[in-house]
Amino acid sequence: MVQKAEKIWFDGEFVPWDEAQVHVLTHTLHYGVGVFEGIRAYNTADGRSAVFRLREHVVRLFDSAKILGIKIPFSVEEIETAIIETLRINGHKEAYIRPLVFIGEGSMGVHPGTCPIRVCIATWYWGAYLGEDALEKGIRIKTSSFTRHHVNAMMTKAKACGNYVNSVLAKMEAVTDGYDEALMLDPQGFVSEATGENIFIVKDGVIKTTPLTSVLRGITRDSLMKLMKSLGYEVQEQLFTRDELYTADEAFFSGTAAEVTPIREVDNRIIGAGRRGPVAEKLQKEFFDIVKGANSDYSEWLDYYEI
C-alpha cells in the first residue's frame, strides 16, 4: 500500500492527499493518453537529501508528452521546483516521486479536443520495489506470453500511461504463476525488458544490455552504463536471445524503483550461482554510494534539498 503523505501538488497548488481527485469522465482514465515519471530522492551521507538525476527525469517527462502530442502547461523549471517543494512540504527526506500529466474531463470521443491538460506530483516512501531480500538474494522471473510493443504500434520512447497495460498483464501473469517479475520479448523474439525495468546480462566479463529499439531509455540504465565503463567493464548494447540469458553468468534489472536487482532464476533455469553475482554486487555498492552522495565524481546527478 502507498503510504499517504500530507499534500499532493496539483495544477500548481498543494491540496490534501485525499482531496486530489478527478472526475470519472477524465479522458485519460478512459483512453490511457497520459505520461508519467518515476524519480527517487535519497537521504545522503551528510544528512541532506537529494533527488537523483532530476533534470533528466523531468526532460524525459516533457519528451514523452511531446511524443503523445500533449503540451504541458508548465515549464521544466516549474516542474523541478514543484517536485522539490512537494518533498519539503511532506517532510520527505527519502521518497519515490510520481509526476503525472493527463488529459482532463470534457470531450468523451477518442480525440481529446479541448480537454484540459492536468499535472500532479505525489511523493511517498517506497522501499525495495521487488522485496527487501531481492537486492541481495535476487529474484525469480518468467518469460511472459505477452510481447513488448512494436515501435510503430505504440510509442515505445514515451513513458505513456497506456503502454503499461502491456506491463500490468505480464506482471499479473508472472505473479499468479509464482514468480516475482516478467521478462518480455520484442516482436522479433529478442529479449526486450521487464514490466518496468531494463535488463543486463554478464558473460565472460562482458556486460550486455538491449539496445534502445523497443525499450524505454532508462535513466538508471544510462547511469549504470556510465558507471560500468568508468569501472573498466566492457559494455555492449546488443540484441540477445532468451537462451543467451539462460547461460549468462549473471543477470540483473535496473530501474528507478528496482535500482539494481539481481536475477537468480529465469523460466526455472538457475542463472550463474543462483544468487547475486560479483558484478551486480559491485554495481549496487557503487550505485548506492552515488545516490547517497558518497561519491563526489557524480555529484552533478544530485539535486540537494533540506527539510
Side-chain angles (χ1 to χ4, degrees):
M1 295 291 291
V2 172
Q3 294 185 13
K4 288 185 180 181
E6 184 180 348
K7 301 282 188 180
I8 288 176
W9 187 92
F10 205 162
D11 290 339
E13 298 180 358
F14 286 104
V15 299
W17 180 283
D18 290 328
E19 295 178 19
Q21 300 176 3
V22 298
H23 196 277
V24 294
L25 295 185
T26 293
H27 195 276
T28 298
L29 180 62
H30 293 258
Y31 298 111
V33 180
V35 298
F36 68 96
E37 270 299 319
I39 314 171
R40 272 194 190 262
Y42 291 89
N43 198 357
T44 66
D46 65 4
R48 294 182 294 168
S49 296
V51 182
F52 182 63
R53 300 195 73 173
L54 175 61
R55 173 55 60 99
E56 290 88 344
H57 280 285
V58 175
V59 167
R60 190 173 65 176
L61 180 73
F62 277 74
D63 286 346
S64 295
K66 184 176 183 180
I67 290 169
L68 268 58
I70 296 172
K71 182 172 176 53
I72 299 177
F74 299 94
S75 68
V76 168
E77 292 75 18
E78 285 173 323
I79 296 299
E80 288 178 341
T81 299
I83 286 170
I84 297 297
E85 290 306 310
T86 305
L87 290 164
R88 284 192 177 123
I89 202 168
N90 286 326
H92 280 149
K93 291 191 170 184
E94 195 161 82
Y96 184 83
I97 305 155
R98 172 54 57 85
L100 172 68
V101 180
F102 63 99
I103 303 173
E105 72 277 10
S107 169
M108 276 309 296
V110 171
H111 193 287
T114 58
C115 294
I117 304 302
R118 310 198 66 186
V119 186
C120 65
I121 299 167
T123 64
W124 65 88
Y125 174 75
W126 202 353
Y129 175 62
L130 293 167
E132 294 300 327
D133 292 336
L135 295 177
E136 179 180 350
K137 296 181 179 179
I139 60 172
R140 299 176 64 245
I141 70 174
K142 70 164 288 184
T143 302
S144 179
S145 67
F146 297 97
T147 301
R148 207 55 165 155
H149 301 300
H150 183 278
V151 294
N152 211 32
M154 297 292 285
M155 299 291 97
T156 58
K157 297 301 175 288
K159 196 170 177 68
C161 300
N163 285 1
Y164 283 79
V165 173
N166 187 231
S167 296
V168 171
L169 291 171
K171 182 80 169 188
M172 290 193 302
E173 177 186 61
V175 171
T176 298
D177 289 345
Y179 294 84
D180 301 299
E181 181 58 288
L183 173 72
M184 306 192 74
L185 307 182
D186 70 16
Q188 287 71 48
F190 292 99
V191 172
S192 179
E193 56 188 342
T195 62
E197 305 91 11
N198 295 119
I199 187 169
F200 292 86
I201 63 171
V202 184
K203 183 71 172 181
D204 298 329
V206 177
I207 303 174
K208 288 185 181 180
T209 190
T210 308
L212 296 175
T213 51
S214 63
V215 306
L216 186 71
R217 180 180 55 84
I219 291 169
T220 305
R221 171 189 181 275
D222 175 74
S223 304
L224 288 179
M225 289 179 69
K226 288 181 169 66
L227 176 59
M228 291 167 188
K229 291 173 183 176
S230 75
L231 294 172
Y233 291 109
E234 181 181 346
V235 185
Q236 299 177 356
E237 292 182 271
Q238 186 181 104
L239 291 172
F240 57 91
T241 57
R242 188 171 24 155
D243 46 5
E244 190 172 354
L245 169 58
Y246 291 161
T247 58
D249 299 326
E250 294 184 49
F252 51 91
F253 287 138
S254 71
T256 294
E259 297 166 317
V260 183
T261 300
I263 301 164
R264 72 172 189 267
E265 184 180 320
V266 183
D267 297 338
N268 298 311
R269 278 88 163 172
I270 300 298
I271 303 302
R275 58 181 182 272
R276 179 178 61 186
V279 174
E281 186 172 7
K282 175 67 172 174
L283 291 173
Q284 282 180 343
K285 179 186 182 303
E286 296 291 338
F287 178 76
F288 286 117
D289 278 350
I290 290 169
V291 299
K292 292 181 179 295
N295 185 339
S296 60
D297 291 342
Y298 298 90
S299 58
E300 73 276 8
W301 285 353
L302 301 178
D303 279 86
Y304 284 92
Y305 66 96
E306 296 185 21
I307 303 298

